[in-house]
């Protein structure tokens, strides 16, 4: 491949930044997403999550149920340009019932922004998602939000991050005041004070006054006690805090910390600016042929998410592809690693929540949408040139189970189609009884809300009303050694044997004790809490 193309790919990678936002519910994730889009020029007016009728809806929450409840249910991709950079923002659901969708999305992210509520500090879901980032070695940037409300002391929050997550912290900016007296932030790198003026609901960019530290004008603009407090805090963090080390940041060992208020836009643009300077550019990915750098000239990518019915008028199915290497071009033909077949990638789309526009090219770090006529599954690799396959994306152990019934035989086809498409996109795991006489599918979920979403979407998108019957299981384990070993073992007590959507054996238990008991009785059965990442889907 010519040096010209390699140079083109290298230049594109240098301009790309890709990140996911992780947080506990209600930390303000969707609001921050909106404000980043506002400053990126992607939207002209930001809409609150729980939108009043007069306000516009939040761009990233496009599903009917999300807009009704004011929560994020599904991950979306938002792409926009800022300061010569192409940004791919992977917006994830904050609610713990949808954490599986977040785990999968983190597989496509190069960086993570950890959003923390200043009043609450670290919360359970944030800790859980941090562990996933740590496992993947993803650099973490921290945005401490809601400074426009009363909260905990900034130094106390930095200490909590260091003690509980084992991350070294570096405060890139420092807040001036809090709650009603939150006036702005101090930029430590430029040694400048940014004082903000509030705008109505923060729907437009905040007007700011920038003053150098030590400028006599500060005394006219800022109350004396706030200025004194700022200087005292700065002496403390300059004396006791660590120096910024980008190598440690990129290794996921140090987190740059930003303070601000997404609702009022205070500190958001400053965060975006430094994030682009400090963030990791698209990097190498592990594959069956070893680490593959993004500048590898052949095209490759993997499917990390599927979404049905983003456009209800066309009943479409979209595969989200993370481009890993080379250059993607419209209408190119690629190899499908799992199915060993050639696929033509027509009608590629640039994604912006529910809105999409056609694209001709994409580069490593980009996420593209492809129409999926049942060809792609989560974790699939597509490539040109030498065969390679990226590590699959595992399913985690569900904790809630229910039989899903279709009470209306005339809706059989719609029911089957809906269940199959929602399974493909990972909205819920679908299992089946090993007894062929029991035809109703079993829904397996991480949280109760997943059940509600599936029933809502079956009704709303497929016109099928369903009945749900909860099952008494709380633990699922995949049998790593497969059906043969299971048959040799014979009858199992306090255990129900089912098969997942790929036809692999799964054991369901009422509780952990039953699971441990079985493992003690049958050590030859190798059980896993995470689904194997290989295998062919079977008809479901």
């Amino acid at each position: 491949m010519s040096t010209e193309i390699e140079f083109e790919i290298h230049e594109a990678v240098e301009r790309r930044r890709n990140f996911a936002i992780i947080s506990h519910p209600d930390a303000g994730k969707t609001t921050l997403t909106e404000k980043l889009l506002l400053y990126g020029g992607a939207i002209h007016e930001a809409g609150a999550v729980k939108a009043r009728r007069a306000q516009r809806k939040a761009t990233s929450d496009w599903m009917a149920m999300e807009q009704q409840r004011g929560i994020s249910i599904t991950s979306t991709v938002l792409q926009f340009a800022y300061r010569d950079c192409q940004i791919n923002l992977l917006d994830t659901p904050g609610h713990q019932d949808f954490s599986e969708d977040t785990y999968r999305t983190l597989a496509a992210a190069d960086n993570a922004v950890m959003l923390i509520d200043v009043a609450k500090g670290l919360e359970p879901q944030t800790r859980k998602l941090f562990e996933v980032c740590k496992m993947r070695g993803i650099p973490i940037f921290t945005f401490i939000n809601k400074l426009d409300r009363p909260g905990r002391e900034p130094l106390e929050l930095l200490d909590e991050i260091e003690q509980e997550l084992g991350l070294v912290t570096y405060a890139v900016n420092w807040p001036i005041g809090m709650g009603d007296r939150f006036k702005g932030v101090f930029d430590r790198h430029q040694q400048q004070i940014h004082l903000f003026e509030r705008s109505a609901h923060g729907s437009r960019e905040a007007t700011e006054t920038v003053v150098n530290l030590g400028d006599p004008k500060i005394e006219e603009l800022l109350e004396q006690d706030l200025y004194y407090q700022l200087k005292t805090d700065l002496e403390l963090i300059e004396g006791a805090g660590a120096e910024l080390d980008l190598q440690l940041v990129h290794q996921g060992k140090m987190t740059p910390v930003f303070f601000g208020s997404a609702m009022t836009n205070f500190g958001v643009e400053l965060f975006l600016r430094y994030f682009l300077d400090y963030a990791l550019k698209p990097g190498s990915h592990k594959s069956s042929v070893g680490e593959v750098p993004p500048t590898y000239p052949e095209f490759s990518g993997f499917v990390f998410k599927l979404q049905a019915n983003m456009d209800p008028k066309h009943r479409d199915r979209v595969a989200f592809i993370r481009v890993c290497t080379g250059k993607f071009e419209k209408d190119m033909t690629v190899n499908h690693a799992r199915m060993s077949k050639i696929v033509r990638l027509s009608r590629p789309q640039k994604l912006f929540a529910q809105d999409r526009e056609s694209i001709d090219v994409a580069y490593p770090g980009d996420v593209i949408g492809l129409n999926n006529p049942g060809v792609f599954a989560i974790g699939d690799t597509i490539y040109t040139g030498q065969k390679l396959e990226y590590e699959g994306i595992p399913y985690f152990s569900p904790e809630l189970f229910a039989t899903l019934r279709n009470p209306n035989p005339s809706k059989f086809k719609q029911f089957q189609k809906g269940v199959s498409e929602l399974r493909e996109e990972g909205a819920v795991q679908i299992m089946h009884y090993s007894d062929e006489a029991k035809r109703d599918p079993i829904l397996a979920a991480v949280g109760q809300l997943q059940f509600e979403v599936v029933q809502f979407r079956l009704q709303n998108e497929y016109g099928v009303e369903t009945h749900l019957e909860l099952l008494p299981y709380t633990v699922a384990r995949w049998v790593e050694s497969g059906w043969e070993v299971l048959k040799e073992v014979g009858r199992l007590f306090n255990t129900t044997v089912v098969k997942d959507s790929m036809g692999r054996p799964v054991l369901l238990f009422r509780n952990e004790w039953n699971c441990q008991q079985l493992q003690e009785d049958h050590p030859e059965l190798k059980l896993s809490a995470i689904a194997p990442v290989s295998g062919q889907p079977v008809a479901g």
Side-chain angles (χ1 to χ4, degrees):
M1 190 172 277
S2 76
T3 316
E4 196 178 313
I5 290 291
E6 288 176 359
F7 179 74
E8 181 187 335
I9 294 166
H10 173 75
E11 287 284 286
V13 169
E14 287 294 303
R15 290 197 308 273
R16 263 48 186 186
R17 302 291 186 278
N18 166 311
F19 70 99
I21 302 180
I22 61 170
S23 76
H24 196 79
D26 298 324
K29 185 169 57 57
T30 305
T31 307
L32 178 62
T33 299
E34 288 280 303
K35 301 313 172 71
L36 292 171
L37 299 178
L38 179 70
Y39 280 99
I43 58 174
H44 301 297
E45 192 175 330
V49 186
K50 292 180 179 173
R52 298 180 188 137
R53 284 185 186 175
Q55 293 175 338
R56 49 184 302 287
K57 298 279 194 291
T59 303
S60 54
D61 289 342
W62 56 268
M63 198 184 285
M65 194 170 176
E66 291 179 306
Q67 293 172 1
Q68 284 173 19
R69 294 196 178 197
I71 56 169
S72 297
I73 287 170
T74 179
S75 299
T76 54
V77 179
L78 302 146
Q79 295 172 321
F80 59 98
Y82 180 76
R83 278 177 64 204
D84 298 327
C85 284
Q86 183 72 24
I87 300 166
N88 287 269
L89 194 168
L90 307 171
D91 183 43
T92 60
H95 201 289
Q96 62 265 31
D97 284 11
F98 306 105
S99 48
E100 268 216 316
D101 201 27
T102 304
Y103 296 152
R104 288 193 292 268
T105 300
L106 285 171
D110 297 321
N111 304 276
V113 173
M114 179 168 70
L115 189 63
I116 294 174
D117 183 324
V118 69
K120 296 173 183 173
L122 291 173
E123 296 179 86
Q125 183 67 1
T126 316
R127 288 187 183 92
K128 195 189 285 187
L129 294 171
F130 164 76
E131 288 302 328
V132 178
C133 294
K134 188 179 173 185
M135 193 170 69
R136 303 191 71 88
I138 299 175
I140 291 175
F141 295 77
T142 301
F143 189 92
I144 296 178
N145 193 24
K146 302 189 181 181
L147 268 291
D148 57 314
R149 301 179 188 180
R152 291 164 60 187
E153 287 298 318
L155 286 165
E156 187 189 325
L157 291 168
L158 294 188
D159 188 55
E160 183 175 61
I161 293 167
E162 297 207 346
Q163 297 300 321
E164 293 200 26
L165 302 184
L167 286 172
V168 179
T169 61
Y170 177 83
V172 180
N173 67 22
W174 197 256
I176 302 167
M178 192 182 289
D180 291 340
R181 299 191 74 205
F182 180 44
K183 303 297 181 188
V185 294
F186 174 70
D187 176 347
R188 289 179 67 196
H189 180 66
Q190 297 289 345
Q191 292 286 294
Q192 289 176 328
I193 289 173
H194 291 247
L195 299 172
F196 299 98
E197 288 175 32
R198 298 184 187 227
S199 61
H201 305 298
S203 60
R204 300 195 178 277
E205 295 173 27
T207 306
E208 63 176 281
T209 304
V210 181
V211 191
N212 290 325
L213 190 67
D215 190 316
K217 270 199 303 187
I218 293 173
E219 293 180 17
E220 298 168 31
L221 299 167
L222 197 60
E223 289 100 309
Q224 193 176 5
D225 65 318
L226 289 178
Y227 188 36
Y228 178 76
Q229 183 65 52
L230 172 67
K231 290 203 285 189
T232 306
D233 287 347
L234 289 178
E235 277 177 29
L236 269 171
I237 57 173
E238 294 292 346
E243 289 295 312
L244 179 66
D245 183 334
L246 283 184
Q247 194 173 349
L248 289 181
V249 172
H250 293 165
Q251 290 168 355
K253 294 175 182 174
M254 172 182 266
T255 180
V257 180
F258 301 81
F259 293 87
S261 161
M263 186 56 79
T264 59
N265 302 339
F266 289 13
V268 174
E269 189 177 25
L270 207 57
F271 159 73
L272 187 54
R273 222 179 293 159
Y274 279 112
F275 172 78
L276 296 184
D277 291 341
Y278 298 162
L280 203 57
K281 291 160 193 165
S284 303
H285 278 79
K286 289 178 185 170
S287 78
S288 53
V289 295
E291 290 264 345
V292 191
T295 48
Y296 174 66
E298 294 288 355
F299 164 78
S300 69
F302 64 86
V303 180
F304 69 93
K305 175 181 170 60
L306 298 173
Q307 183 70 56
N309 304 328
M310 284 181 78
D311 181 354
K313 291 176 191 166
H314 298 105
R315 291 278 178 250
D316 61 346
R317 284 191 283 170
V318 176
F320 288 60
I321 312 279
R322 158 67 198 245
V323 180
C324 296
T325 67
K327 179 182 179 181
F328 168 86
E329 294 182 275
K330 182 182 177 183
D331 290 327
M332 73 190 301
T333 53
V334 298
N335 298 297
H336 189 303
R338 175 176 57 86
M339 298 178 83
S340 300
K341 65 188 278 189
I342 292 172
V343 180
R344 184 165 173 260
L345 304 182
S346 57
R347 292 174 62 202
Q349 297 155 342
K350 171 184 171 182
L351 297 153
F352 190 78
Q354 191 179 17
D355 302 323
R356 283 161 286 163
E357 60 183 66
S358 184
I359 58 161
D360 295 321
V361 295
Y363 298 94
D366 286 342
V367 173
I368 54 173
L370 293 171
N371 284 315
N372 176 32
V375 173
F376 298 116
I378 289 168
D380 278 350
T381 297
I382 51 175
Y383 66 94
T384 60
Q386 177 194 2
K387 179 168 184 179
L388 63 87
E389 203 160 355
Y390 291 111
E391 290 182 329
I393 300 173
Y395 281 93
F396 289 80
S397 180
E399 294 165 20
L400 298 171
F401 303 85
T403 303
L404 187 69
R405 301 194 193 285
N406 167 30
N408 188 347
S410 67
K411 297 274 188 174
F412 178 74
K413 277 190 179 174
Q414 294 95 313
F415 176 75
Q416 289 287 92
K417 184 174 190 242
V419 168
S420 173
E421 290 184 0
L422 293 179
R423 171 189 64 77
E424 277 178 13
E425 72 173 61
V428 71
Q429 292 183 50
I430 303 285
M431 297 180 179
H432 291 271
Y433 289 99
S434 49
D435 179 352
E436 297 296 334
K438 295 180 178 177
R439 303 291 301 276
D440 294 319
I442 299 167
L443 301 189
V446 174
Q448 178 66 35
L449 262 175
Q450 281 181 275
F451 290 155
E452 293 179 37
V453 168
V454 167
Q455 286 193 285
F456 179 89
R457 292 185 63 188
L458 284 171
Q459 174 81 63
N460 201 44
E461 296 168 21
Y462 300 90
V464 180
E465 190 185 334
T466 54
H467 293 162
L468 208 63
E469 190 179 302
L470 291 172
L471 296 169
Y473 311 115
T474 61
V475 178
R477 292 291 180 266
W478 277 263
V479 182
E480 288 183 13
S481 31
W483 289 104
E484 291 303 314
V485 176
L486 202 56
K487 282 172 188 165
E488 286 172 20
V489 169
R491 193 175 172 198
L492 299 174
F493 295 96
N494 298 320
T495 311
T496 299
V497 181
V498 298
K499 57 186 178 184
D500 69 7
S501 58
M502 293 190 173
R504 302 171 299 200
V506 183
L507 305 183
L508 303 185
F509 304 92
R510 285 175 179 263
N511 50 49
E512 281 285 352
W513 187 85
N514 286 152
C515 176
Q516 287 166 10
Q517 195 67 47
L518 180 93
Q519 287 184 295
E520 285 172 19
D521 293 345
H522 298 283
E524 70 276 26
L525 281 180
K526 289 189 170 57
L527 304 182
S528 171
I530 297 173
V533 292
S534 60
Q536 301 285 338
V538 296

